Amino acid sequence: MHEMSIAMAVVCQVEEAARAHDAAGVEAVTLSVGELAGVVPDALRFSFSLACEGTVLAGAELVTEHVAGRARCETCGREWATGVPPRLCCARCGDSRTRLLSGRELHIATVRWSEAPQRARALEEL
C-alpha cells in the first residue's frame, strides 16, 4: 500500500513548512491527484489520518482534487480525455505519438494553517 508512504511524505513536508512559518497547527491539506497517478483516494485518506497522529497535523482534513487525464496527438493536434485505463492513441488519425497533458499529478496544492489558539492548545494536549 504505497498510499501510506505518500501520506507520510506529505505529513513530513507540511510539518517542515509549519516549523518554517511558526504555524500552531494545520486544519486542512489539499492534494491534487491525477486519475493516472495510481493512487486510491480512500486509502490515501485513511493513511493520512494515521500518519498525522502525534504531529502538528493531528486532526487535519485531507481534501483531494481530482485531475482528469488528458492527452494531445502530436500529429493532428486533437486533445481528449484519456480515461482509465488510458487511451493514448488518437481516435482521429490513429497515431500513437501523443503527449500526456495531465492526469499524473500528485502534489500538495494548499495547506490551511490553524490560526485559533484553542486548536493549538488542543494539539499540544494530544
Side-chain angles (χ1 to χ4, degrees), residues 22-25 54-58 116-126:
D22 291 324
T55 73
V56 72
L57 287 90
Q118 305 92 319
R119 174 141 170 88
R121 279 195 294 277
L123 288 173
E124 289 172 6
E125 292 171 6
L126 293 176

Side-chain angles (χ1 to χ4, degrees), residues 6-122:
I6 293 168
M8 291 173 64
V10 168
V11 168
C12 286
Q13 289 179 16
V14 174
E15 275 191 309
E16 186 176 306
R19 281 191 296 276
H21 293 91
D22 291 324
V26 176
E27 291 183 3
V29 176
T30 303
L31 296 181
S32 292
V33 181
E35 71 179 342
L36 305 175
V39 175
V40 178
D42 288 340
L44 183 58
R45 273 191 274 299
F46 175 76
S47 298
F48 181 79
S49 66
L50 293 177
C52 287
E53 290 180 13
T55 73
V56 72
L57 287 90
E61 174 188 13
L62 177 66
V63 178
T64 55
E65 294 177 338
H66 174 81
V67 180
R70 297 213 38 91
R72 178 180 36 227
C73 178
E74 294 292 315
T75 303
C76 72
R78 178 180 177 267
E79 289 187 19
W80 66 93
T82 61
V84 176
R87 291 179 310 278
L88 298 176
C89 287
C90 180
R92 179 186 298 156
C93 71
D95 203 334
S96 62
R97 288 179 289 174
T98 58
R99 176 175 302 208
L100 194 57
L101 302 174
S102 65
R104 293 178 40 193
E105 294 81 356
L106 181 57
H107 64 269
I108 299 169
T110 63
V111 176
R112 190 170 67 232
W113 307 110
S114 175
E115 296 178 20
Q118 305 92 319
R119 174 141 170 88
R121 279 195 294 277

